[in-house]
Amino acid sequence: MEDKGRATVQIYGEEYTVKGEASPEYLRMLAAYIDKMMRQVAARQPRLTTARVAVLTALNIADEMSKLQEDYDTLVKLMDTEKRKPDGEQKRPDENKNRSDQNKNRPDQDKNRSDQDRKKEFQKKKA
């Protein structure tokens, strides 16, 4: 039986006992995600050592986290901007829908950003 905050998990063929403040179910979910990501990296590059698979997986997850943080920051700024507007200037919900529909038709701006730009932004956020 596992204690709260402790779980035995399998990651890339290895067994680990993980301790943390989260529930065992949550720890197992995280381990399953890491295992899945490592297996995807290994499938694309079958000759890599386990250590290299782990490092590339960590980079992929850090990239995902950085993009999510960027999206979150953008949403917070948008919400803050909306809160500061006088009541009469706030958009009606149907106007916001039209704006999001228009954004779907625009090319993905993230694809136009270089990895170097992403790296600089990630470094700023870490500091």
Side-chain angles (χ1 to χ4, degrees):
M1 183 157 192
E2 295 175 337
D3 299 328
K4 180 170 174 47
R6 181 182 178 125
T8 301
V9 298
Q10 291 277 330
I11 300 174
Y12 203 63
E14 296 287 327
E15 187 173 288
Y16 298 91
T17 298
V18 183
K19 298 176 187 176
E21 296 192 15
S23 70
E25 295 81 21
Y26 183 72
L27 295 172
R28 280 191 287 276
M29 189 246 346
L30 292 177
Y33 179 72
I34 292 168
D35 181 67
K36 174 184 157 195
M37 296 296 289
M38 287 184 73
R39 291 181 188 285
Q40 287 176 355
V41 168
R44 289 190 299 262
Q45 301 287 329
R47 295 185 181 161
L48 293 178
T49 64
T50 300
R52 288 188 182 268
V53 168
V55 169
L56 289 175
T57 300
L59 286 170
N60 287 335
I61 292 172
D63 180 51
E64 286 179 4
M65 187 219 52
S66 178
K67 289 175 183 174
L68 288 171
Q69 183 66 50
E70 187 177 301
D71 291 346
Y72 173 81
D73 292 343
T74 300
L75 287 171
V76 168
K77 286 177 187 174
L78 287 171
M79 289 171 46
D80 190 44
T81 301
E82 286 296 314
K83 284 181 186 176
R84 291 182 184 177
K85 286 183 181 179
D87 287 338
E89 288 185 33
Q90 291 186 357
K91 301 277 185 206
R92 293 190 324 252
D94 57 344
E95 288 177 310
N96 290 334
K97 181 184 180 298
N98 290 338
R99 186 177 346 149
S100 70
D101 288 344
Q102 290 169 353
N103 288 341
K104 288 179 187 173
N105 296 329
R106 291 191 322 190
D108 187 3
Q109 292 174 344
D110 196 45
K111 289 179 185 173
N112 296 329
R113 292 185 24 221
S114 71
D115 288 343
Q116 199 69 0
D117 291 339
R118 284 192 198 102
K119 182 179 176 184
K120 286 178 189 175
E121 289 175 20
F122 183 72
Q123 296 291 346
K124 276 193 231 176
K125 288 177 187 172
K126 280 179 55 178

